[in-house]
Amino acid sequence: MKGLVSMKITLSLNGDISINDDHKKKIKRNKGKSCLLFPDNYTVIDIETTGLDSRYNSIIEVAAIRVRNNNIASTFSSLVKPDQYYVLDKSEFDSDYLDCTDFLLDDENNGFYYIDSFITELTGITNKMLFDSPEPKAVLNDFLKFLGDDLLIGHNVNFDINFLYDEFKKLYGKELSNNFVDTLRLSRFLHKDLLHHRLCDMSAFYNIDYSNQHRSLADCFITNSLLDHLKDTALKEYGNIESFLSTLKRKTHNSIDLKQITPENNNFDITHPLYNKVCVFTGALERMIRKEAMQIVVNSGGKIGNTVTKKTNYLILGNNTYCTLIKDGKSNKQKKAEKLKLDGQDIEILSEDVFYDMINFR
């Protein structure tokens, strides 16, 4: 098929998708550290994708803003042709589906598309725009060079980093090891009273123009403005940035009252892997705050512990960046759990990713 890349995805009538088994492999990422900083020099990043999972979905746009001494020095922005496409069999779909789908025709008059109408409506990006865009290997190499070894800033930035990490690894055999700052985490701490902390929520709170949302470069500018507002808020409430960061690091571990974390329902599934199990956390989680993870555990019929004891069944390891007790790369909780396991105790040490697999075990 002229102009298209190698990976074809076949869409059947019942919506099942057949893809290469290589995309189902679990990925271990050696990412950089999640930092607590309000830096003067950094690069803001944002991407748009065809979906939420880098194993199955593709990057369709990348952008970045390089900041030096708190001033924007340069920008990068490009659409990216996805490395997969969907083939339409007109005999399998009714006309209503075809009418609402922005699709293209190849040289043999076969219909295909990269993104569905939801992504187009959300971002304004069309299949024709993507067809005319540069291939991933070329544009992402330029993007990788633009990032260099800068500290990266983003809102829910782990999402962006995971996609970029996997693509850089696949295309160039390189790991994205840049340290990063997540404005979502900073927002959650500074504004505990807000119910939601999405980029649109924080933009509304600070009166930041959000009219061009869901395009990568626009979201970079919004995130950069949000970082400035968060810094101003931290200064007003804590007097100086050092005091704010010190408080944040301390409260990340010590502010949770376990007695207040009670089940939101009592209809437990006794086959759930966390049911009646005692779980302890160490390090900061990347995808949710610790209190949210603890709530999921008790909602599953599990129990939460502060320290590792003989009664502990699972120790969940988060990102250890915020842990002040790190020695030789391991927290005291992890060392104690390892000793108990060697002594024959019923305790397992889980990575954060494995924990997420357990809470979504079905």
Side-chain angles (χ1 to χ4, degrees):
M1 187 177 292
K2 184 178 179 181
L4 294 180
V5 288
S6 60
M7 185 179 174
K8 179 176 72 174
I9 298 180
T10 303
L11 221 62
S12 69
L13 184 61
N14 63 9
D16 292 336
I17 297 177
S18 174
I19 63 177
N20 191 319
D21 286 341
D22 288 343
H23 279 242
K24 299 179 181 179
K25 295 179 181 178
K26 197 168 186 66
I27 301 168
K28 181 179 179 181
R29 304 181 182 96
N30 298 309
K31 298 188 295 184
K33 295 181 179 180
S34 178
C35 303
L36 287 174
L37 294 170
F38 284 108
D40 297 328
N41 302 296
Y42 55 89
T43 295
V44 182
I45 63 170
D46 187 83
I47 67 172
E48 300 297 333
T49 67
T50 61
L52 301 177
D53 193 320
S54 62
R55 293 173 297 176
Y56 311 117
N57 303 121
S58 301
I59 296 172
I60 58 175
E61 187 175 35
V62 294
I65 297 175
R66 181 181 293 141
V67 176
R68 293 294 180 266
N69 297 317
N70 293 312
N71 293 310
I72 295 175
S74 57
T75 64
F76 184 105
S77 179
S78 178
L79 290 172
V80 184
K81 180 182 287 189
D83 59 2
Q84 54 183 303
Y85 59 91
Y86 300 82
V87 175
L88 281 172
D89 183 344
K90 293 183 180 180
S91 65
E92 290 187 296
F93 295 93
D94 58 34
S95 59
D96 290 339
Y97 180 87
L98 294 177
D99 288 343
C100 70
T101 301
D102 164 37
F103 66 97
L104 305 169
L105 294 175
D106 65 8
D107 295 339
E108 299 175 355
N109 216 34
N110 295 312
F112 69 94
Y113 65 97
Y114 303 105
I115 54 176
D116 59 23
S117 57
F118 170 76
I119 299 296
T120 296
E121 186 174 348
L122 183 70
T123 64
I125 298 171
T126 66
N127 282 291
K128 179 64 168 59
M129 291 165 64
L130 293 176
F131 184 77
D132 295 332
S133 298
E135 301 285 351
K137 193 164 188 178
V139 66
L140 292 180
N141 186 52
D142 291 339
F143 192 60
L144 176 61
K145 291 178 181 177
F146 186 87
L147 299 182
D149 59 359
D150 256 17
L151 178 72
L152 305 180
I153 308 284
H155 200 74
N156 192 23
V157 71
N158 276 287
F159 175 86
D160 306 80
I161 287 176
N162 286 348
F163 263 91
L164 293 171
Y165 185 104
D166 296 347
E167 283 299 295
F168 294 159
K169 185 75 172 177
K170 178 179 71 175
L171 295 174
Y172 321 114
K174 297 180 180 179
E175 296 180 338
L176 181 62
S177 58
N178 303 52
N179 293 341
F180 54 91
V181 174
D182 192 347
T183 52
L184 175 62
R185 183 178 293 277
L186 295 172
S187 300
R188 282 172 167 169
F189 185 83
L190 282 168
H191 299 288
K192 302 182 185 69
D193 54 323
L194 295 182
L195 185 60
H196 300 293
H197 298 83
R198 297 167 299 179
L199 194 57
C200 60
D201 302 311
M202 301 312 301
S203 296
F205 181 84
Y206 283 119
N207 294 316
I208 302 170
D209 182 11
Y210 195 66
S211 57
N212 293 318
Q213 74 276 17
H214 298 306
R215 289 302 300 267
S216 292
L217 189 58
D219 282 356
C220 283
F221 279 104
I222 294 169
T223 300
N224 193 50
S225 181
L226 173 59
L227 182 68
D228 290 338
H229 282 288
L230 292 171
K231 183 177 181 179
D232 289 342
T233 299
L235 285 170
K236 290 176 182 177
E237 295 187 6
Y238 292 87
N240 57 69
I241 296 303
E242 290 73 21
S243 177
F244 163 69
L245 296 178
S246 176
T247 302
L248 177 52
K249 290 177 182 179
R250 186 170 63 252
K251 288 190 176 251
T252 299
H253 292 281
N254 299 330
S255 62
I256 302 174
D257 183 356
L258 299 187
K259 294 180 181 179
Q260 294 182 357
I261 303 178
T262 57
E264 296 172 333
N265 63 77
N266 294 312
N267 186 24
F268 301 129
D269 179 356
I270 63 173
T271 67
H272 196 285
L274 295 178
Y275 178 75
N276 212 29
K277 299 296 184 180
V278 178
C279 298
V280 175
F281 291 85
T282 183
L285 300 177
E286 293 185 337
R287 289 166 55 181
M288 63 178 67
I289 61 175
R290 187 182 292 190
K291 189 173 182 179
E292 292 172 342
M294 290 179 170
Q295 187 66 58
I296 291 173
V297 170
V298 298
N299 286 347
S300 303
K303 304 173 184 178
I304 297 296
N306 258 328
T307 60
V308 174
T309 69
K310 292 181 179 179
K311 295 182 179 180
T312 305
N313 300 112
Y314 295 119
L315 174 66
I316 296 98
L317 305 179
N319 185 325
N320 286 323
T321 303
Y322 303 117
C323 184
T324 59
L325 303 177
I326 291 294
K327 294 179 181 179
D328 302 324
K330 297 180 180 179
S331 68
N332 289 337
K333 288 181 181 178
Q334 182 176 349
K335 290 180 179 180
K336 186 172 183 180
E338 290 176 347
K339 184 178 185 303
L340 288 172
K341 185 174 179 64
L342 290 175
D343 290 341
Q345 294 295 320
D346 179 19
I347 183 171
E348 295 294 337
I349 301 171
L350 309 178
S351 69
E352 185 174 344
D353 285 341
V354 172
F355 170 70
Y356 294 133
D357 288 341
M358 290 183 70
I359 62 180
N360 298 296
F361 80 110
R362 291 189 180 281

mmCIF file of all heavy atoms in Angstrom, residues 191-221:
data_model
loop_
_atom_site.group_PDB
_atom_site.id
_atom_site.type_symbol
_atom_site.label_atom_id
_atom_site.label_comp_id
_atom_site.label_asym_id
_atom_site.label_seq_id
_atom_site.Cartn_x
_atom_site.Cartn_y
_atom_site.Cartn_z
ATOM 1 N N HIS A 191 -3.340 22.311 45.867
ATOM 2 C CA HIS A 191 -4.778 22.570 45.787
ATOM 3 C C HIS A 191 -5.565 21.311 46.159
ATOM 4 O O HIS A 191 -6.302 20.749 45.347
ATOM 5 C CB HIS A 191 -5.149 23.053 44.388
ATOM 6 C CG HIS A 191 -4.482 24.331 43.999
ATOM 7 N ND1 HIS A 191 -4.836 25.557 44.545
ATOM 8 C CD2 HIS A 191 -3.466 24.586 43.137
ATOM 9 C CE1 HIS A 191 -4.078 26.497 44.031
ATOM 10 N NE2 HIS A 191 -3.233 25.938 43.177
ATOM 11 N N LYS A 192 -5.410 20.898 47.401
ATOM 12 C CA LYS A 192 -6.096 19.690 47.874
ATOM 13 C C LYS A 192 -7.608 19.852 47.865
ATOM 14 O O LYS A 192 -8.348 18.861 47.857
ATOM 15 C CB LYS A 192 -5.625 19.345 49.292
ATOM 16 C CG LYS A 192 -4.133 19.111 49.429
ATOM 17 C CD LYS A 192 -3.786 18.723 50.870
ATOM 18 C CE LYS A 192 -2.285 18.599 51.075
ATOM 19 N NZ LYS A 192 -1.600 19.900 51.007
ATOM 20 N N ASP A 193 -8.081 21.088 47.899
ATOM 21 C CA ASP A 193 -9.516 21.330 47.952
ATOM 22 C C ASP A 193 -10.190 21.134 46.595
ATOM 23 O O ASP A 193 -11.418 21.001 46.528
ATOM 24 C CB ASP A 193 -9.792 22.757 48.440
ATOM 25 C CG ASP A 193 -9.063 23.814 47.617
ATOM 26 O OD1 ASP A 193 -7.919 23.544 47.216
ATOM 27 O OD2 ASP A 193 -9.639 24.890 47.397
ATOM 28 N N LEU A 194 -9.436 21.120 45.519
ATOM 29 C CA LEU A 194 -10.019 20.926 44.194
ATOM 30 C C LEU A 194 -10.306 19.452 43.951
ATOM 31 O O LEU A 194 -9.504 18.582 44.301
ATOM 32 C CB LEU A 194 -9.066 21.437 43.112
ATOM 33 C CG LEU A 194 -8.780 22.943 43.111
ATOM 34 C CD1 LEU A 194 -7.862 23.287 41.943
ATOM 35 C CD2 LEU A 194 -10.075 23.745 43.025
ATOM 36 N N LEU A 195 -11.462 19.181 43.352
ATOM 37 C CA LEU A 195 -11.852 17.798 43.101
ATOM 38 C C LEU A 195 -11.033 17.180 41.978
ATOM 39 O O LEU A 195 -10.665 16.008 42.024
ATOM 40 C CB LEU A 195 -13.351 17.738 42.757
ATOM 41 C CG LEU A 195 -13.962 16.351 42.574
ATOM 42 C CD1 LEU A 195 -13.815 15.536 43.864
ATOM 43 C CD2 LEU A 195 -15.430 16.467 42.173
ATOM 44 N N HIS A 196 -10.747 17.966 40.935
ATOM 45 C CA HIS A 196 -9.987 17.463 39.792
ATOM 46 C C HIS A 196 -8.795 18.380 39.522
ATOM 47 O O HIS A 196 -8.852 19.577 39.796
ATOM 48 C CB HIS A 196 -10.874 17.395 38.540
ATOM 49 C CG HIS A 196 -12.060 16.496 38.693
ATOM 50 N ND1 HIS A 196 -11.953 15.135 38.821
ATOM 51 C CD2 HIS A 196 -13.384 16.793 38.752
ATOM 52 C CE1 HIS A 196 -13.165 14.613 38.938
ATOM 53 N NE2 HIS A 196 -14.042 15.604 38.911
ATOM 54 N N HIS A 197 -7.736 17.790 38.973
ATOM 55 C CA HIS A 197 -6.511 18.544 38.715
ATOM 56 C C HIS A 197 -6.012 18.350 37.289
ATOM 57 O O HIS A 197 -4.818 18.430 37.023
ATOM 58 C CB HIS A 197 -5.424 18.130 39.716
ATOM 59 C CG HIS A 197 -5.773 18.407 41.133
ATOM 60 N ND1 HIS A 197 -6.549 17.543 41.886
ATOM 61 C CD2 HIS A 197 -5.495 19.464 41.937
ATOM 62 C CE1 HIS A 197 -6.704 18.053 43.107
ATOM 63 N NE2 HIS A 197 -6.082 19.203 43.159
ATOM 64 N N ARG A 198 -6.944 18.087 36.372
ATOM 65 C CA ARG A 198 -6.565 17.979 34.972
ATOM 66 C C ARG A 198 -6.047 19.331 34.473
ATOM 67 O O ARG A 198 -6.253 20.359 35.122
ATOM 68 C CB ARG A 198 -7.759 17.533 34.126
ATOM 69 C CG ARG A 198 -8.288 16.142 34.472
ATOM 70 C CD ARG A 198 -9.637 15.916 33.818
ATOM 71 N NE ARG A 198 -10.623 16.901 34.295
ATOM 72 C CZ ARG A 198 -11.890 16.958 33.871
ATOM 73 N NH1 ARG A 198 -12.311 16.109 32.948
ATOM 74 N NH2 ARG A 198 -12.710 17.868 34.361
ATOM 75 N N LEU A 199 -5.405 19.308 33.329
ATOM 76 C CA LEU A 199 -4.860 20.556 32.795
ATOM 77 C C LEU A 199 -5.972 21.577 32.553
ATOM 78 O O LEU A 199 -5.803 22.769 32.812
ATOM 79 C CB LEU A 199 -4.098 20.274 31.503
ATOM 80 C CG LEU A 199 -3.193 21.404 30.975
ATOM 81 C CD1 LEU A 199 -2.168 21.807 32.022
ATOM 82 C CD2 LEU A 199 -2.507 20.969 29.684
ATOM 83 N N CYS A 200 -7.129 21.100 32.103
ATOM 84 C CA CYS A 200 -8.251 22.018 31.875
ATOM 85 C C CYS A 200 -8.765 22.583 33.193
ATOM 86 O O CYS A 200 -9.144 23.765 33.271
ATOM 87 C CB CYS A 200 -9.371 21.307 31.126
ATOM 88 S SG CYS A 200 -10.072 19.862 31.953
ATOM 89 N N ASP A 201 -8.773 21.773 34.262
ATOM 90 C CA ASP A 201 -9.235 22.239 35.567
ATOM 91 C C ASP A 201 -8.308 23.309 36.125
ATOM 92 O O ASP A 201 -8.764 24.343 36.627
ATOM 93 C CB ASP A 201 -9.319 21.069 36.555
ATOM 94 C CG ASP A 201 -10.240 19.966 36.087
ATOM 95 O OD1 ASP A 201 -11.378 20.279 35.696
ATOM 96 O OD2 ASP A 201 -9.825 18.802 36.103
ATOM 97 N N MET A 202 -7.000 23.061 36.029
ATOM 98 C CA MET A 202 -6.040 24.015 36.573
ATOM 99 C C MET A 202 -5.989 25.290 35.726
ATOM 100 O O MET A 202 -5.763 26.379 36.244
ATOM 101 C CB MET A 202 -4.660 23.378 36.674
ATOM 102 C CG MET A 202 -4.598 22.121 37.554
ATOM 103 S SD MET A 202 -5.418 22.336 39.154
ATOM 104 C CE MET A 202 -4.510 23.713 39.850
ATOM 105 N N SER A 203 -6.219 25.134 34.419
ATOM 106 C CA SER A 203 -6.267 26.318 33.557
ATOM 107 C C SER A 203 -7.449 27.203 33.932
ATOM 108 O O SER A 203 -7.330 28.437 33.987
ATOM 109 C CB SER A 203 -6.370 25.901 32.087
ATOM 110 O OG SER A 203 -5.223 25.196 31.689
ATOM 111 N N ALA A 204 -8.597 26.582 34.199
ATOM 112 C CA ALA A 204 -9.773 27.341 34.616
ATOM 113 C C ALA A 204 -9.525 28.013 35.963
ATOM 114 O O ALA A 204 -9.913 29.175 36.168
ATOM 115 C CB ALA A 204 -10.989 26.414 34.689
ATOM 116 N N PHE A 205 -8.869 27.312 36.869
ATOM 117 C CA PHE A 205 -8.604 27.857 38.203
ATOM 118 C C PHE A 205 -7.717 29.097 38.125
ATOM 119 O O PHE A 205 -7.937 30.086 38.830
ATOM 120 C CB PHE A 205 -7.946 26.784 39.081
ATOM 121 C CG PHE A 205 -7.660 27.228 40.478
ATOM 122 C CD1 PHE A 205 -8.638 27.181 41.463
ATOM 123 C CD2 PHE A 205 -6.399 27.700 40.824
ATOM 124 C CE1 PHE A 205 -8.374 27.605 42.755
ATOM 125 C CE2 PHE A 205 -6.127 28.117 42.118
ATOM 126 C CZ PHE A 205 -7.124 28.066 43.083
ATOM 127 N N TYR A 206 -6.705 29.043 37.260
ATOM 128 C CA TYR A 206 -5.749 30.151 37.154
ATOM 129 C C TYR A 206 -6.060 31.108 35.998
ATOM 130 O O TYR A 206 -5.264 31.999 35.701
ATOM 131 C CB TYR A 206 -4.337 29.606 36.987
ATOM 132 C CG TYR A 206 -3.707 29.083 38.257
ATOM 133 C CD1 TYR A 206 -3.319 27.747 38.370
ATOM 134 C CD2 TYR A 206 -3.474 29.929 39.343
ATOM 135 C CE1 TYR A 206 -2.711 27.272 39.539
ATOM 136 C CE2 TYR A 206 -2.877 29.461 40.500
ATOM 137 C CZ TYR A 206 -2.505 28.128 40.592
ATOM 138 O OH TYR A 206 -1.916 27.671 41.752
ATOM 139 N N ASN A 207 -7.198 30.901 35.334
ATOM 140 C CA ASN A 207 -7.588 31.751 34.203
ATOM 141 C C ASN A 207 -6.549 31.735 33.079
ATOM 142 O O ASN A 207 -6.227 32.759 32.481
ATOM 143 C CB ASN A 207 -7.836 33.197 34.660
ATOM 144 C CG ASN A 207 -9.037 33.316 35.579
ATOM 145 O OD1 ASN A 207 -10.084 32.727 35.316
ATOM 146 N ND2 ASN A 207 -8.885 34.070 36.653
ATOM 147 N N ILE A 208 -6.018 30.559 32.809
ATOM 148 C CA ILE A 208 -5.093 30.377 31.698
ATOM 149 C C ILE A 208 -5.905 30.053 30.442
ATOM 150 O O ILE A 208 -6.821 29.235 30.480
ATOM 151 C CB ILE A 208 -4.102 29.234 31.981
ATOM 152 C CG1 ILE A 208 -3.302 29.508 33.262
ATOM 153 C CG2 ILE A 208 -3.159 29.015 30.805
ATOM 154 C CD1 ILE A 208 -2.477 28.327 33.730
ATOM 155 N N ASP A 209 -5.571 30.684 29.333
ATOM 156 C CA ASP A 209 -6.284 30.440 28.078
ATOM 157 C C ASP A 209 -6.131 28.973 27.671
ATOM 158 O O ASP A 209 -5.021 28.485 27.468
ATOM 159 C CB ASP A 209 -5.732 31.353 26.977
ATOM 160 C CG ASP A 209 -6.468 31.171 25.657
ATOM 161 O OD1 ASP A 209 -7.523 30.513 25.647
ATOM 162 O OD2 ASP A 209 -5.976 31.693 24.642
ATOM 163 N N TYR A 210 -7.273 28.291 27.539
ATOM 164 C CA TYR A 210 -7.259 26.857 27.216
ATOM 165 C C TYR A 210 -7.992 26.583 25.902
ATOM 166 O O TYR A 210 -8.434 25.491 25.631
ATOM 167 C CB TYR A 210 -7.912 26.077 28.367
ATOM 168 C CG TYR A 210 -7.662 24.592 28.359
ATOM 169 C CD1 TYR A 210 -6.381 24.078 28.550
ATOM 170 C CD2 TYR A 210 -8.705 23.688 28.171
ATOM 171 C CE1 TYR A 210 -6.139 22.712 28.543
ATOM 172 C CE2 TYR A 210 -8.483 22.315 28.178
ATOM 173 C CZ TYR A 210 -7.201 21.839 28.358
ATOM 174 O OH TYR A 210 -6.965 20.484 28.359
ATOM 175 N N SER A 211 -8.093 27.612 25.065
ATOM 176 C CA SER A 211 -8.903 27.504 23.851
ATOM 177 C C SER A 211 -8.297 26.567 22.812
ATOM 178 O O SER A 211 -9.020 26.015 21.976
ATOM 179 C CB SER A 211 -9.118 28.892 23.245
ATOM 180 O OG SER A 211 -7.868 29.516 22.968
ATOM 181 N N ASN A 212 -6.995 26.376 22.826
ATOM 182 C CA ASN A 212 -6.348 25.507 21.834
ATOM 183 C C ASN A 212 -5.866 24.192 22.431
ATOM 184 O O ASN A 212 -4.846 23.642 22.009
ATOM 185 C CB ASN A 212 -5.164 26.241 21.202
ATOM 186 C CG ASN A 212 -5.598 27.422 20.374
ATOM 187 O OD1 ASN A 212 -6.575 27.343 19.642
ATOM 188 N ND2 ASN A 212 -4.889 28.535 20.508
ATOM 189 N N GLN A 213 -6.603 23.693 23.433
ATOM 190 C CA GLN A 213 -6.192 22.479 24.113
ATOM 191 C C GLN A 213 -6.163 21.268 23.175
ATOM 192 O O GLN A 213 -6.801 21.252 22.146
ATOM 193 C CB GLN A 213 -7.125 22.177 25.289
ATOM 194 C CG GLN A 213 -8.506 21.657 24.915
ATOM 195 C CD GLN A 213 -9.495 22.736 24.574
ATOM 196 O OE1 GLN A 213 -9.111 23.862 24.315
ATOM 197 N NE2 GLN A 213 -10.756 22.397 24.566
ATOM 198 N N HIS A 214 -5.400 20.275 23.590
ATOM 199 C CA HIS A 214 -5.277 18.994 22.893
ATOM 200 C C HIS A 214 -4.528 19.099 21.569
ATOM 201 O O HIS A 214 -4.643 18.203 20.732
ATOM 202 C CB HIS A 214 -6.641 18.324 22.699
ATOM 203 C CG HIS A 214 -7.331 17.988 23.985
ATOM 204 N ND1 HIS A 214 -6.735 17.233 24.974
ATOM 205 C CD2 HIS A 214 -8.556 18.329 24.453
ATOM 206 C CE1 HIS A 214 -7.571 17.118 25.989
ATOM 207 N NE2 HIS A 214 -8.666 17.770 25.699
ATOM 208 N N ARG A 215 -3.771 20.162 21.389
ATOM 209 C CA ARG A 215 -2.710 20.181 20.401
ATOM 210 C C ARG A 215 -1.427 20.346 21.189
ATOM 211 O O ARG A 215 -1.350 21.127 22.128
ATOM 212 C CB ARG A 215 -2.893 21.313 19.395
ATOM 213 C CG ARG A 215 -4.044 21.098 18.430
ATOM 214 C CD ARG A 215 -3.909 19.808 17.613
ATOM 215 N NE ARG A 215 -2.716 19.748 16.805
ATOM 216 C CZ ARG A 215 -2.659 20.133 15.543
ATOM 217 N NH1 ARG A 215 -3.743 20.621 14.953
ATOM 218 N NH2 ARG A 215 -1.527 20.013 14.860
ATOM 219 N N SER A 216 -0.412 19.618 20.820
ATOM 220 C CA SER A 216 0.746 19.454 21.683
ATOM 221 C C SER A 216 1.449 20.763 22.045
ATOM 222 O O SER A 216 1.765 21.002 23.212
ATOM 223 C CB SER A 216 1.745 18.494 21.027
ATOM 224 O OG SER A 216 1.219 17.187 20.985
ATOM 225 N N LEU A 217 1.701 21.605 21.062
ATOM 226 C CA LEU A 217 2.437 22.835 21.365
ATOM 227 C C LEU A 217 1.600 23.758 22.252
ATOM 228 O O LEU A 217 2.133 24.376 23.186
ATOM 229 C CB LEU A 217 2.833 23.554 20.079
ATOM 230 C CG LEU A 217 3.783 24.745 20.262
ATOM 231 C CD1 LEU A 217 5.074 24.310 20.957
ATOM 232 C CD2 LEU A 217 4.091 25.407 18.921
ATOM 233 N N ALA A 218 0.308 23.844 21.982
ATOM 234 C CA ALA A 218 -0.568 24.664 22.816
ATOM 235 C C ALA A 218 -0.570 24.157 24.251
ATOM 236 O O ALA A 218 -0.502 24.946 25.209
ATOM 237 C CB ALA A 218 -1.985 24.665 22.253
ATOM 238 N N ASP A 219 -0.620 22.839 24.423
ATOM 239 C CA ASP A 219 -0.607 22.272 25.780
ATOM 240 C C ASP A 219 0.728 22.516 26.473
ATOM 241 O O ASP A 219 0.784 22.646 27.701
ATOM 242 C CB ASP A 219 -0.909 20.769 25.725
ATOM 243 C CG ASP A 219 -2.396 20.487 25.541
ATOM 244 O OD1 ASP A 219 -3.178 21.457 25.539
ATOM 245 O OD2 ASP A 219 -2.767 19.308 25.397
ATOM 246 N N CYS A 220 1.818 22.587 25.704
ATOM 247 C CA CYS A 220 3.116 22.918 26.302
ATOM 248 C C CYS A 220 3.096 24.331 26.879
ATOM 249 O O CYS A 220 3.576 24.567 27.998
ATOM 250 C CB CYS A 220 4.220 22.811 25.257
ATOM 251 S SG CYS A 220 4.737 21.132 24.859
ATOM 252 N N PHE A 221 2.557 25.273 26.126
ATOM 253 C CA PHE A 221 2.476 26.653 26.612
ATOM 254 C C PHE A 221 1.576 26.745 27.845
ATOM 255 O O PHE A 221 1.878 27.472 28.792
ATOM 256 C CB PHE A 221 1.961 27.578 25.507
ATOM 257 C CG PHE A 221 3.012 27.997 24.526
ATOM 258 C CD1 PHE A 221 3.065 27.439 23.264
ATOM 259 C CD2 PHE A 221 3.963 28.946 24.876
ATOM 260 C CE1 PHE A 221 4.047 27.822 22.352
ATOM 261 C CE2 PHE A 221 4.948 29.345 23.982
ATOM 262 C CZ PHE A 221 4.994 28.778 22.714
#
